[in-house]
Amino acid sequence: MELFFEIILGVVSLALILSFIRFIKGPTASDRVVALDTMSVTFISVLVLLGHMFNRFIYIDVSLVYAVLGFIGVLIIARYLEGGI
Amino acid sequence: MTEELMQQILKISFYGASLALILIGLYGVLTKKNLIKILLSMAIAESGLNLLFVAIGYIMNGTAPIFSTAVLDENNQLLETVTMVDPIPQALVLTAIVIGLGVTAVGLALVIRLYKHHNTINIDEIRNLKW
Amino acid sequence: METILEILGVIFISIGAAFLLLGSIGILRMPDVYSRLQAGTKASTLGTLGMLLGIGFFEPAWFLKIFIIMIFVILSNPISSHSIARGSCRSGIKPKLKETVNAYRDAMESCEESIKKDDK
Amino acid sequence: MNIFTVILVVIGAIFMIVAAIYAISRKDLLVATIATSIISLVLSVFFFILQAPDVALTEATIGVALTTIIFVVTIRNTKRHEEEEE
């Protein structure tokens, strides 16, 4: 069962690499914001997975804070692109 | 791959990343002309410094401090000891992150005032001390 | 009972990881911003939900907190995707493929017409 | 510590260095702000792996949300693009 979680961590790391390549390549700023959003959603599942592998209940608070606050940065950049704030 | 090799790779990654961040931030502070870029480089260098402090206090296969519970048998004898990482760098870094946010916020407020007065944020063109 | 929960957890975690990987492949391969947004936010939302549900099956004591995280992901991810799409539409990025319907522009035009009528 | 955690750490270190170089070298300040946000994102996971969840919590709140907000507000009030140097 340990091996299963390690392989899942490898697959998720591959997903992170692909999103980061889009962040480097992306022609406009919107593409980069989309890549940032995908990476921050992927990191939520990485944090919960690592919390299960370290076997500590208190560690998933970090991922809770990510889920609550992580999208505010994306939201504010999108409002800037729109011309608002 | 053995345990020792993995530990070596981990140490090289943490220390290498933190040193690279500090050096890149220092380069940006020294060579860039734009004030916002200078503050951004300061934020990057500060992130590297925080990572260096926490990585120094890390002990291999330790667990987080304060939360740990001791493992006792029925006669209240200690069965096994729990390795903890060093809590002092974590407390220092916790303060340093918040202070860093304050420094960045005050610097950016000054940048906005400078822009409204001089109509530029290039440090070569802002020469006089008069506001 | 435990084996059933573990099998369910393995199935859900595998689905979640597969959707995360497919979403990232889509974000790399799609031609323009709007289709990248489809791949990047919808697939990764489903992937994260599946993964969280699988971990919740593995550790039943954590299920309440994981459920709260799932609710926040469901609430916050479509908001950010909608606002990115609106921002890139208003900053003047055209879709690469030929567009057949643009409901946002039609709504804006009808809104402006109604404002003009009110002014008259 | 297992092999895939080591791979995640190595990938994260490469992400941080590349994003830092990218943030320094771009002329568009909004892109530089997004790159700084990615640096804090990876840094938070590093603090998590280094067994410091409280520091990771603070870094997630401050680095991802607040720093981005104050930089974007400043860019909004000044100029978005850095001038070319003669």
Side-chain angles (χ1 to χ4, degrees):
Chain A
M1 199 47 77
E2 282 287 318
L3 188 67
F4 172 71
F5 283 107
E6 292 175 11
I7 291 172
I8 291 294
L9 201 58
V11 170
V12 175
S13 308
L14 189 61
L16 285 175
I17 293 175
L18 295 178
S19 310
F20 191 74
I21 291 174
R22 172 48 67 195
F23 170 76
I24 294 295
K25 276 170 67 176
T28 63
S30 300
D31 295 316
R32 298 190 168 96
V33 181
V34 173
L36 171 68
D37 193 23
T38 310
M39 281 180 79
S40 88
V41 173
T42 311
F43 270 128
I44 291 174
S45 48
V46 170
L47 287 179
V48 176
L49 204 59
L50 283 176
H52 176 258
M53 286 165 80
F54 291 150
N55 206 2
R56 302 293 298 267
F57 174 61
I58 203 83
Y59 278 17
I60 53 174
D61 282 11
V62 183
S63 120
L64 183 61
V65 167
Y66 249 96
V68 175
L69 288 176
F71 83 111
I72 292 180
V74 175
L75 205 62
I76 206 97
I77 294 173
R79 287 305 296 269
Y80 172 73
L81 287 175
E82 187 179 326
I85 297 183
Chain B
M1 188 179 288
T2 61
E3 188 80 7
E4 288 187 6
L5 187 60
M6 286 200 284
Q7 293 185 2
Q8 291 295 324
I9 295 175
L10 272 183
K11 275 185 185 171
I12 289 173
S13 318
F14 285 130
Y15 292 144
S18 57
L19 287 178
L21 282 188
I22 292 173
L23 290 179
I24 291 168
L26 208 59
Y27 171 78
V29 169
L30 289 178
T31 60
K32 292 294 169 183
K33 302 282 190 226
N34 192 315
L35 271 171
I36 298 178
K37 209 46 145 336
I38 290 175
L39 283 169
L40 209 67
S41 313
M42 276 175 65
I44 290 174
E46 193 193 297
S47 309
L49 201 63
N50 293 338
L51 179 57
L52 183 64
F53 269 17
V54 178
I56 284 174
Y58 181 62
I59 296 169
M60 266 307 153
N61 293 322
T63 183
I66 306 166
F67 303 128
S68 306
T69 53
V71 182
L72 301 175
D73 63 355
E74 57 267 14
N75 299 326
N76 271 347
Q77 296 293 313
L78 203 60
L79 270 186
E80 54 180 294
T81 56
V82 180
T83 319
M84 283 187 194
V85 298
D86 196 358
I88 294 177
Q90 298 184 9
L92 293 179
V93 166
L94 201 62
T95 316
I97 290 173
V98 181
I99 297 287
L101 174 74
V103 170
T104 312
V106 171
L108 289 174
L110 283 177
V111 169
I112 295 178
R113 292 287 298 165
L114 272 176
Y115 181 75
K116 290 212 169 117
H117 193 266
H118 289 280
N119 217 6
T120 179
I121 44 174
N122 193 342
I123 56 170
D124 279 346
E125 297 171 17
I126 305 172
R127 291 202 173 276
N128 52 348
L129 286 174
K130 274 192 303 184
W131 276 47
Chain C
M1 189 60 197
E2 292 218 343
T3 50
I4 296 174
L5 281 182
E6 284 198 353
I7 290 170
L8 274 177
V10 167
I11 292 170
F12 274 105
I13 289 177
S14 307
I15 292 173
F19 268 94
L20 282 178
L21 187 61
L22 289 177
S24 297
I25 292 173
I27 214 173
L28 191 62
R29 298 278 301 171
M30 288 283 184
D32 65 342
V33 180
Y34 304 101
S35 16
R36 272 173 210 147
L37 208 59
Q38 298 286 332
T41 39
K42 283 183 179 155
S44 65
T45 305
L46 183 57
T48 307
L49 288 184
M51 208 149 204
L52 291 176
L53 201 61
I55 302 272
F57 279 129
F58 264 96
E59 308 259 355
W62 298 8
F63 201 82
L64 183 63
K65 215 175 252 186
I66 284 178
F67 189 68
I68 296 173
I69 298 175
M70 284 167 66
I71 288 178
F72 276 117
V73 169
I74 291 174
L75 282 182
S76 71
N77 223 346
I79 294 176
S80 61
S81 120
H82 169 78
S83 101
I84 292 169
R86 191 180 145 109
S88 36
C89 182
R90 280 199 151 186
S91 66
I93 299 172
K94 295 275 190 295
K96 199 172 185 180
L97 307 174
K98 188 177 186 310
E99 58 181 329
T100 53
V101 60
N102 190 340
Y104 181 70
R105 191 183 56 209
D106 300 343
M108 288 300 290
E109 281 173 357
S110 64
C111 177
E112 283 169 1
E113 282 173 7
S114 67
I115 289 174
K116 278 175 189 172
K117 274 180 191 173
D118 289 344
D119 286 345
K120 283 171 187 174
Chain D
M1 282 304 155
N2 49 49
I3 175 72
F4 282 95
T5 312
V6 177
I7 290 178
L8 185 67
V9 168
V10 173
I11 290 170
I14 295 171
F15 278 7
M16 281 169 79
I17 296 172
V18 172
I21 294 172
Y22 201 74
I24 293 293
S25 62
R26 293 296 290 211
K27 296 288 181 198
D28 192 348
L29 289 172
L30 188 67
V31 174
T33 307
I34 300 172
T36 316
S37 180
I38 280 188
I39 292 177
S40 334
L41 209 66
V42 182
L43 192 65
S44 173
V45 177
F46 272 18
F47 286 149
F48 196 87
I49 292 174
L50 286 172
Q51 308 282 336
D54 43 353
V55 186
L57 209 71
T58 316
E59 180 69 35
T61 312
I62 285 179
V64 178
L66 277 175
T67 311
T68 313
I69 289 175
I70 58 175
F71 270 108
V72 170
V73 168
T74 311
I75 292 169
R76 168 86 180 145
N77 278 313
T78 58
K79 274 184 280 188
R80 175 171 163 178
H81 291 278
E82 194 178 356
E83 302 94 1
E84 295 291 329
E85 297 169 17
E86 296 93 35

